Structure formats: C-alpha cells, structure tokens
Amino acid sequence: MEENILKKISFSAIQPSGTPTLGNYLGALKNWAALQEEFNCIYAIADLHALTVRQEPAELRKRTLAAISLAIACGIDPSRSLLFVQSHVHTHAELAWILNCWTPFGELSRMTQFKDKSQSHADNVNAGLFDYPVLMAADILLYNADVVPIGNDQKQHLELARNIAVRFNGIFPDVFRVPEPYMPKQGARVMSLQDPAKKMSKSDPNPNSYVSMLDDRDTIVRKFKRAVTDSGAEVRRGEGKDGINNLIDIYCAACGKTPDEVEREFAGKGYGDFKLAVGEAVADVLAPIKAEFDRLMGDKAYLEKVCADGADAALGVSSRTLRKVYKKVGLLQIK
Ligand code: AQP
C-alpha cells in the first residue's frame, strides 16, 4: 500500500455472502474507488462475517476470490490501497475477542440487523450473528481508521464501534482512533425490487429482488421490468410510492441526474418506459465492470498474489494496534 501521511485513513469491508448487488455497488464499491484520491484506503473481504449465516464451503471460497476480483474491477488499485481477505489476518478475530469483554450484552441486543437476521435465519441464531458488530469494530479499530464509508444500513454498527472505542479509551487512554461515518450522497440505500420497504440484499432468496453486479444486460432489464411499483402512472416521487422512489434514486445514481431532472425527463411517460430506462442505465454502468471482472478471474495467480501481499501488509499494520491493546489490558508480553 502506498501510504501518504497527509491523508486520513478509510476502512471498508464487504462480505462474500453472495454476489455483490447493485446496492453494494451504489452504496459502497462505487465510492471505494473514488475515495482512493482523498484517503489511504483499506478494503477487506469479510469472510469471517459471512460465516454468521450458513455458507456452502466451496461456494464461499469461490465468492471470496470473486470479491477481490470485483473490487479491482470497480477500480480499487491494490498497489495504492490495502486489499485483503479478513481470515488471512488473524489479528481481526483476536481483537474481536478482547473487545467482546468491553461490550455490554444490552448494547448488542439493540442492533436491528441482529433482530432482522434472527428472523430471516430463525433456524440458526448463533453467537457469531449476535457478535457480528464487535468483529466489525475490531476490523475498523485495528487500522486507526478516521472514516468508514457505509450505506445507511451499517450506521448503527458504526455507532457501536465508536462507543466501544470511546469506552475503551476512557479506561486505557489513547489506544483507538474514533472513526466517523462517511455516507455517499446518492444511492445510500438501494431497496429490494420486489419489496421496496426492504433493502436490496445479496443473500435474498428471491433473485428478482436484487440486481447482481454480474447479471447480464437482458437479466438486468427483465428484473427492472418486473420491479414492484404502485398503481399510479406518473413518474414522480411521493409518499407510499416506495417502489418508484427507489427506481428514481437508482436512476439518479446510475446517470448522475437529480430527482427533479428525472421527473422532468419522464413527464407524460408511464412506468413501463421508465423501468426500461432504469434497466438500461444500470446495465450500461455494470457492463464494463463485468468485462474487467471476467478478465481478472482468468488470472488466478495475480489474484492470489494480491491476497498474499495484502494480508502481509495488513498484518504488519494491525499487529501494532493489537500488541498495544494486549499490553494495556494486562496480557503477559514475552520477547
Ligand atoms: N441495499 C443497499 N444499499 C446501499 N448500500 C448497501 N450495502 C449493502 N446493501 C446495500 C453496503 O454494502 C457494503 C457491504 O455490505 P456487506 O456485504 O458487508 O453486508 P450487508 O450490508 O449485510 O450487505 P447485504 O448485501 O445485505 O449482504 P447480506 O445479504 O449477506 O446481508 C456496506 O457498506 C453496506 O452498507
């Protein structure tokens, strides 16, 4: 990683729990590449987090390498940013354990993602699912991140990470830097195409609810055609029009237009025309990324070298923080 001491540090991660969606792209990956101008960026593929819901082992391995490839295809430059797989860097799980001992049970019980996922995975409400935000806090705090670019859905988890850092610093001064959230202006929360009250998620069992970043043009256009809207006809934002509001947001993020411009552009046209335009705009954005992804997946040796170099560098940085924490909390140090 090319570190510029004048730049602040940004940390983000994505779980290889499915193929990243348009939501992951507009809420995260798209901004990650741009952030490299302003920050020293650290990007992790959070495979340990993915284990909090059941994964098919061979699939998880494939998706982890694919996530590295997709991150690079979106413009993350491994010679400029730190890009690695979370389980390759043992300090993450180790710091998470220490932070567990400074995180009240009650605070974790309030996390809405835990409540939601406990319902959607009622047959497997495991301790890791409950502890997910503490591992996320460890990810961030290990690297002294100043900012964490996140979608709206991760705001509560980041607040928890900040609380953990402040509480820990209150007992052991100056150990952690307290991170700030960094929210994109557009596309911060992309909703499901089948239930626009729910966010778009890569692990949604209904593939029509999300656009995968690797879907082909016809599939993308078809999914938008089938997107659930209301019984109205005018392309206008409004109360009770979650589906159309979501499509307008997506179109704005894909084309760089404002909602007012979009409403003017589609004045007098119906939902059908609009859905087609959104589908085509999204397909245009994703096509070059998919082409680069396919090229990179053909060069496994390169992807594995990126992982190995990233893990080495991440271990170097994060070990310094972990050693400091171990010393502060009273774990015996030997040479
Ligand atoms: N629908 C979304 N809109 C905007 N941003 C989103 N993000 C996720 N979904 C949306 C942002 O993507 C980044 C990586 O997310 P993640 O993979 O770590 O976990 P997640 O938020 O739980 O994403 P998914 O797709 O919903 O995964 P599953 O289905 O496995 O739970 C984060 O910055 C997130 O805000």
Side-chain angles (χ1 to χ4, degrees):
M1 178 189 174
E2 181 191 86
E3 197 176 339
N4 177 339
I5 54 165
L6 298 175
K7 288 184 177 175
K8 290 187 169 181
I9 300 169
S10 157
F11 177 91
S12 332
I14 185 162
Q15 297 182 75
S17 44
T19 303
T21 66
L22 180 67
N24 298 125
Y25 179 66
L26 296 177
L29 287 161
K30 181 183 174 190
N31 308 298
W32 288 7
L35 288 170
Q36 295 176 116
E37 298 302 324
E38 195 180 342
F39 298 102
N40 289 317
C41 293
I42 301 172
Y43 296 117
I45 308 304
D47 54 347
L48 295 175
H49 275 110
L51 292 179
T52 56
V53 300
R54 286 286 164 263
Q55 305 290 339
E56 209 280 296
E59 270 301 305
L60 179 60
R61 268 190 290 275
K62 269 195 223 150
R63 285 200 303 257
T64 302
L65 200 67
I68 289 279
S69 174
L70 205 44
I72 302 171
C74 286
I76 291 159
D77 176 356
S79 66
R80 214 172 160 198
S81 298
L82 201 45
L83 176 62
F84 62 94
V85 176
Q86 186 187 34
S87 66
H88 295 172
V89 186
H90 57 78
T91 45
H92 290 243
E94 288 170 306
L95 181 62
W97 176 254
I98 306 285
L99 297 183
N100 274 331
C101 304
W102 269 268
T103 306
F105 186 88
E107 246 172 65
L108 280 179
S109 317
R110 287 196 286 275
M111 295 296 113
T112 52
Q113 181 174 296
F114 172 68
K115 291 181 198 162
D116 293 347
K117 290 212 167 167
S118 307
Q119 275 172 9
S120 51
H121 300 277
D123 56 335
N124 180 27
V125 183
N126 61 71
L129 195 61
F130 185 68
D131 202 31
Y132 178 113
V134 180
L135 179 59
M136 177 169 156
D139 294 343
I140 297 165
L141 299 178
L142 276 171
Y143 298 93
N144 292 313
D146 296 284
V147 297
V148 183
I150 44 167
N152 233 327
D153 60 308
Q154 291 294 332
K155 249 168 119 178
Q156 196 187 28
H157 285 170
L158 185 64
E159 201 47 46
L160 184 89
R162 286 167 53 83
N163 289 345
I164 292 174
V166 168
R167 185 177 311 115
F168 198 92
N169 284 346
I171 306 164
F172 308 108
D174 301 326
V175 174
F176 294 127
R177 190 167 296 167
V178 182
E180 298 289 336
Y182 185 95
M183 305 280 289
K185 287 189 193 68
Q186 272 178 345
R189 191 168 166 84
V190 178
M191 309 309 284
S192 157
L193 299 183
Q194 292 299 311
D195 176 1
K198 251 176 47 184
K199 79 160 184 157
M200 183 180 282
S201 273
K202 58 178 122 57
S203 59
D204 195 309
N206 178 359
N208 286 325
S209 72
Y210 57 80
V211 170
S212 151
M213 287 185 67
L214 301 177
D215 279 344
D216 59 34
R217 176 171 287 270
D218 289 351
T219 307
I220 296 174
V221 169
R222 180 172 40 79
K223 285 182 178 177
F224 277 105
K225 265 192 198 154
R226 289 189 186 165
V228 169
T229 44
D230 50 86
S231 55
E234 257 187 298
V235 179
R236 283 202 157 273
R237 290 158 295 166
E239 286 256 335
K241 299 182 69 178
D242 291 350
I244 278 294
N245 294 343
N246 186 37
L247 296 184
I248 292 178
D249 280 351
I250 292 173
Y251 191 66
C252 287
C255 306
K257 292 182 181 164
T258 65
D260 287 336
E261 283 169 341
V262 176
E263 288 178 1
R264 276 198 296 276
E265 183 181 342
F266 288 91
K269 293 188 186 154
Y271 284 177
D273 287 339
F274 181 54
K275 286 180 178 180
L276 182 65
V278 183
E280 284 179 343
V282 167
D284 286 346
V285 168
L286 296 181
I289 298 173
K290 181 169 175 342
E292 180 59 1
F293 167 86
D294 288 341
R295 189 190 69 76
L296 288 163
M297 287 303 278
D299 192 352
K300 204 164 164 223
Y302 168 71
L303 294 175
E304 286 182 351
K305 175 146 179 16
V306 167
C307 291
D309 291 351
D312 265 3
L315 189 61
V317 178
S318 59
S319 295
R320 288 200 289 275
T321 309
L322 188 68
R323 267 200 302 276
K324 198 163 154 190
V325 170
Y326 274 12
K327 197 167 163 199
K328 293 275 184 182
V329 300
L331 300 182
L332 177 65
Q333 314 280 298
I334 48 170
K335 288 270 174 274

